[in-house]
């Protein structure tokens, strides 16, 4: 019964999400950054092909890495503070909600960029 009330879930990573065919690497980067900012993430292009993201909600923090190219992108968990990560591959369910929302926003931005080509 107690397990049913748990706030922990397996860490969600988005792997190899597809990018529309007609976008440049710069288009993809811009779409990912714009999507992140729209969802209150602080996004930074670390190097071509890798964007990092950081979010802070009250006392909770999460860091992600988003490798990307013109074919696909992934959203990978890096670290967190106060999100129940005990090194066992589980995390507070809010993290997964944030990642799902970010992924949805990235898809919207990519599709918008693609339709403007």
């Amino acid at each position: 019964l107690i397990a049913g009330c748990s706030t922990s879930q397996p860490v969600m990573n988005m792997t190899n999400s597809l990018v529309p065919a007609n976008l440049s690497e710069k288009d993809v980067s811009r779409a990912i950054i714009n999507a992140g900012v729209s969802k209150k993430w602080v996004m930074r292009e670390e190097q071509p092909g890798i964007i990092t993201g950081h979010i802070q909600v009250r006392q909770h923090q999460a860091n992600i890495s988003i490798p990307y190219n013109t074919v696909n992108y992934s959203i990978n968990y890096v670290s967190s503070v106060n999100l129940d990560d005990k090194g066992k591959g589980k995390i507070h369910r809010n993290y997964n909600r944030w990642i799902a929302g970010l992924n949805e926003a990235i898809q919207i931005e990519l599709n918008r960029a693609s339709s403007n080509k």
Side-chain angles (χ1 to χ4, degrees):
L1 190 69
I2 292 174
C5 298
S6 173
T7 59
S8 288
Q9 298 177 341
V11 173
M12 180 183 348
N13 287 314
M14 297 289 173
T15 308
N16 298 325
S17 296
L18 294 178
V19 169
N22 61 340
L23 296 179
S24 69
E25 207 165 278
K26 185 174 177 105
D27 294 330
V28 176
S29 170
R30 190 177 305 120
I32 291 170
I33 290 171
N34 289 345
V37 169
S38 79
K39 291 295 187 178
K40 310 281 191 261
W41 288 82
V42 176
M43 306 297 271
R44 195 164 99 208
E45 181 110 29
E46 292 295 323
Q47 65 189 53
I50 298 186
I51 293 170
T52 57
H54 171 82
I55 194 168
Q56 181 156 355
V57 180
R58 296 178 303 281
Q59 75 273 24
H60 310 288
Q61 298 176 35
N63 295 296
I64 57 173
S65 173
I66 306 175
Y68 69 90
N69 55 42
T70 58
V71 177
N72 59 41
Y73 68 92
S74 297
I75 303 174
N76 301 316
Y77 173 81
V78 173
S79 64
S80 64
V81 175
N82 292 326
L83 284 172
D84 303 336
D85 174 18
K86 296 176 178 72
K88 296 188 168 107
K90 293 194 175 236
I91 197 160
H92 193 283
R93 65 179 172 236
N94 284 351
Y95 170 81
N96 287 343
R97 211 174 303 146
W98 298 339
I99 295 306
L102 175 60
N103 189 58
E104 187 177 305
I106 290 171
Q107 287 294 311
I108 290 166
E109 289 294 327
L110 288 170
N111 288 328
R112 181 178 296 143
S114 177
S115 67
N116 289 336
K117 285 275 177 183

